[in-house]
Amino acid sequence: MTTSFRISDGDLVLSGSELAVVSGLAKLSQDIQLWVKEIYQNDRFHPAFGSTLEGFVGQIIDEDSAFYIENEIRRVLENYQTAQLRGVQRNPDVYSDDELLDTINSVTATLDFDKVYVSVKVTTVAGSVLSQKIGVV
């Protein structure tokens, strides 16, 4: 199983005198948040990493925006799934079934005046269902 440092509001989290880590379903949840909030093409080694959602800041948000945002988050999730597949092909023993994204069940944007929230529901290879809400704009 792979692990990552636990992040809360952009900061590393301490567990006693050590950095806290996440794994399994909690890692998948954190990874989705980070991948969606990363600025698209910000990483020169991974140009398809991240999303274009920052382009909506300050813009008029309408039903067309919601449709675009849903599709952009779906694209990010598919890229994440592809990255996981490459990792599993190289080193299958380090992944747990609960951190591997199997199915993107739904991506639904909800408009709230000048804010957009997206509900994401995915299923892992282990069959666990992860539902989370992401504040986008």
Side-chain angles (χ1 to χ4, degrees):
M1 132 179 32
T2 63
T3 60
S4 292
F5 291 122
R6 181 180 302 276
I7 297 173
S8 178
D9 295 325
D11 295 323
L12 293 169
V13 176
L14 288 175
S15 177
S17 62
E18 297 183 359
L19 291 172
V21 295
V22 291
S23 60
L25 203 56
K27 180 182 182 302
L28 176 60
S29 177
Q30 179 174 289
D31 284 354
I32 289 172
Q33 290 276 347
L34 294 174
W35 274 61
V36 166
K37 294 187 180 207
E38 178 67 28
I39 297 172
Y40 184 62
Q41 294 185 329
N42 200 39
D43 185 334
R44 66 184 176 129
F45 296 110
H46 306 285
F49 180 75
S51 73
T52 61
L53 298 175
E54 81 283 350
F56 284 94
V57 175
Q59 301 298 316
I60 295 173
I61 304 296
D62 57 17
E63 293 299 323
D64 290 339
S65 305
F67 177 76
Y68 177 82
I69 289 168
E70 288 173 356
N71 285 321
E72 177 61 6
I73 289 180
R74 190 173 296 280
R75 182 194 67 78
V76 171
L77 292 172
E78 289 169 355
N79 282 347
Y80 180 78
Q81 201 171 26
T82 299
Q84 281 188 323
L85 179 61
R86 286 187 195 127
V88 167
Q89 289 171 337
R90 284 191 304 258
N91 201 351
D93 297 332
V94 301
Y95 291 88
S96 72
D97 288 348
D98 234 5
E99 70 186 287
L100 294 173
L101 180 67
D102 182 52
T103 307
I104 302 166
N105 301 342
S106 64
V107 177
T108 308
T110 304
L111 305 178
D112 183 15
F113 184 59
D114 63 345
K115 293 184 174 78
V116 179
Y117 297 96
V118 179
S119 297
V120 174
K121 187 174 183 180
V122 298
T123 304
T124 67
V125 170
S128 299
V129 176
L130 171 66
S131 295
Q132 70 185 76
K133 195 173 194 177
I134 303 169
V136 177
V137 180

